[in-house]
């Protein structure tokens, strides 16, 4: 963390890795974001899952259901409900770096599915795939919530290529993609009228203060989220409302910001079916199935290892 924060805040466009949003409070704020009327992403993805879960997992009777960045593990409930025996013959493996969120989710899920074998893993999925060795094949790996959109294009390719290299030919991957759409709809989703996304954005400074001895004043930053049409991504920033010098004693470093200078906190890329198919091709996968909603706002895509021979 020290190294990432040091490098990010030393760059010309200051930045922080978005994974640091997710302490216990940040995870709760994210769950609240999901219920905001403007935040169509979760609702739309949930509706697709609800409708298509049976088709998605018809092939999957035993093995490991691995969820990367599982958060509250709400969406997986649709998949579990559609499994024969409500998941009696599989092991559910939620992977998340936020331990309190994972524990809370696991407790709720085992209450609903008492026969489910659950093996939670606290890990950062950007730091290697060793944890996959603890799981049995066949594997159904899910990466939902458009988390994939948080990666820069080059990192996204490395991530998928790395994951692909650890998968067996019989394993499958289902990824949630937020799709390109009208700017007004996208910008509203990241600027909810109750200010929950704003609080979520500022929370990253509270995390840095607590974990690294920083003295950021989160109230001195404004939430700024806009759609960059050329790059097809929402960019979320924290903009300094006055000149300041912040000290982070745990690194140690001092950071100066001018009024209006920003810290880039999150990148949320938007996709098309073509860009998803290209991404699959470039990372040794093939895109085999695609489920979307009637407005084509969100999609779930099934990726198979390209050498699997087809389904
Ligand atoms: C946008 S939320 C999505 C949660 C859930 N998948 C959903 O769709 O509602 C992102 C989740 O991924 C986790 N996360 C973010 N970056 C991560 C990383 N590098 N490694 C592991 N978990 C991560 C966060 O803690 C959070 O629970």
């Amino acid at each position: 963390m020290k190294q990432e924060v040091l490098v990010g805040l030393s760059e010309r466009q200051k930045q922080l890795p978005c994974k640091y949003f997710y302490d216990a409070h940040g995870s709760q704020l994210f769950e609240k974001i999901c219920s905001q009327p403007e935040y169509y992403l979760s609702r739309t993805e949930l509706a697709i899952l609800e409708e298509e879960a049976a088709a998605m997992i018809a092939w999957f009777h035993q093995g490991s259901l691995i969820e990367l960045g599982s958060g509250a593990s709400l969406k997986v409930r649709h998949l579990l409900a559609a499994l024969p025996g409500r998941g009696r013959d599989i092991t559910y493996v939620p992977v998340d770096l936020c331990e309190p969120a994972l524990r809370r989710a696991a407790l709720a899920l085992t209450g609903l599915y008492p026969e489910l074998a659950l093996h939670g893993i606290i890990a950062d999925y950007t730091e290697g795939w060793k944890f996959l060795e603890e799981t049995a094949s066949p594997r159904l790996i899910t990466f939902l919530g458009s988390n994939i959109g948080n990666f820069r294009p080059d990192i996204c390719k490395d991530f998928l290529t790395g994951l692909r290299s650890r998968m067996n030919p019989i394993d499958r991957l289902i990824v949630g993609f937020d799709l390109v759409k009208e700017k007004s709809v996208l910008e509203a989703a990241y600027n909810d009228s109750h200010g929950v996304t704003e609080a979520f954005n500022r929370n990253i400074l509270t995390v840095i203060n607590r974990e690294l001895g920083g003295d950021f004043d989160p109230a001195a930053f404004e939430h700024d989220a806009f759609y960059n049409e050329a790059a097809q991504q929402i960019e979320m920033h924290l903009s300094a409302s006055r000149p300041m010098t912040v000290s982070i004693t745990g690194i140690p470093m001092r950071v100066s910001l001018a009024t209006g200078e920003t810290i880039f906190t999150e990148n949320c890329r938007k996709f098309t079916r073509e860009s998803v198919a290209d991404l699959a091709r470039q990372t040794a996968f093939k895109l085999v199935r695609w489920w979307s909603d009637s407005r084509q706002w969100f999609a779930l895509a099934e990726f198979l290892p390209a050498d699997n021979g087809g389904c």
Side-chain angles (χ1 to χ4, degrees):
M1 181 177 194
K2 278 186 193 174
Q3 186 61 15
E4 286 170 307
V5 172
L6 174 65
V7 170
L9 292 182
S10 304
E11 289 185 28
R12 201 151 145 229
Q13 168 60 74
K14 296 178 172 54
Q15 49 187 298
L16 287 170
C18 63
K19 63 186 175 190
Y20 296 126
F21 282 131
Y22 297 98
D23 65 345
H25 185 54
S27 292
Q28 280 172 339
L29 285 171
F30 178 73
E31 285 170 41
K32 215 167 152 191
I33 288 174
C34 291
S35 63
Q36 298 308 300
E38 299 92 339
Y39 197 78
Y40 62 85
L41 289 86
S42 280
R43 266 193 310 281
T44 312
E45 190 179 30
L46 265 171
I48 300 169
L49 278 165
E50 189 172 3
E51 199 160 316
E52 306 288 357
M56 281 178 193
I57 53 153
W59 64 278
F60 185 64
H61 301 290
Q62 55 168 58
S64 312
L65 172 53
I66 301 164
E67 183 172 12
L68 304 176
S70 46
S73 290
L74 292 179
K75 292 169 186 161
V76 77
R77 293 180 188 185
H78 290 303
L79 296 177
L80 292 174
L83 277 167
R86 290 166 53 86
R88 200 183 38 227
D89 301 320
I90 63 128
T91 301
Y92 172 55
V93 185
V95 181
D96 206 290
L97 47 68
C98 180
E99 183 167 350
L102 195 146
R103 286 195 181 280
R104 219 161 16 100
L107 211 61
L109 210 57
T110 44
L112 283 171
Y113 295 90
E115 290 179 38
L116 180 70
L118 190 148
H119 176 56
I121 298 180
I122 314 291
D124 179 339
Y125 51 60
T126 61
E127 288 185 353
W129 297 106
K130 197 152 177 43
F131 63 83
L132 277 183
E133 288 166 15
E134 296 173 32
T135 65
S137 214
R139 303 180 181 104
L140 170 57
I141 302 170
T142 62
F143 193 34
L144 306 176
S146 202
N147 275 23
I148 196 158
N150 297 145
F151 292 130
R152 284 196 335 235
D154 53 333
I155 308 277
C156 184
K157 279 183 210 155
D158 290 349
F159 174 84
L160 285 175
T161 307
L163 175 57
R164 163 65 195 96
S165 71
R166 295 300 177 109
M167 286 170 65
N168 290 324
I170 52 165
D171 298 339
R172 300 186 189 202
L173 169 67
I174 293 180
V175 187
F177 289 95
D178 193 22
L179 302 180
V180 169
K181 62 184 67 61
E182 251 177 63
K183 184 179 168 133
S184 58
V185 177
L186 287 166
E187 290 191 340
Y190 294 85
N191 290 284
D192 65 275
S193 56
H194 292 106
V196 187
T197 312
E198 184 178 335
F200 175 73
N201 196 7
R202 287 200 183 110
N203 186 56
I204 201 166
L205 301 180
T206 309
V207 171
I208 305 295
N209 285 350
R210 188 184 56 240
E211 300 296 323
L212 297 178
D215 62 1
F216 277 108
D217 173 9
F221 286 84
E222 278 160 30
H223 169 71
D224 184 18
F226 56 88
Y227 187 51
N228 175 339
E229 281 183 77
Q232 299 191 322
Q233 61 191 17
I234 286 280
E235 295 180 8
M236 207 150 88
H237 293 250
L238 285 165
S239 171
S241 54
R242 55 173 166 78
M244 64 181 85
T245 298
V246 176
S247 160
I248 308 178
T249 55
I251 292 185
M253 77 183 296
R254 285 168 81 76
V255 191
S256 294
L257 289 117
T259 304
E261 191 177 348
T262 73
I263 303 175
F264 189 7
T265 51
E266 195 178 44
N267 180 30
C268 309
R269 290 172 64 213
K270 307 302 163 190
F271 296 84
T272 62
R273 188 167 181 160
E274 294 69 38
S275 65
V276 171
D278 277 350
L279 181 61
R281 260 192 303 277
Q282 291 163 9
T283 54
F285 282 106
K286 57 190 169 187
L287 168 61
V288 287
R289 291 194 287 173
W290 177 267
W291 300 274
S292 189
D293 56 292
S294 58
R295 295 183 293 195
Q296 313 282 307
W297 277 10
F298 200 95
L300 286 152
E302 184 182 61
F303 283 17
L304 253 64
D307 55 5
N308 141 299
C311 66

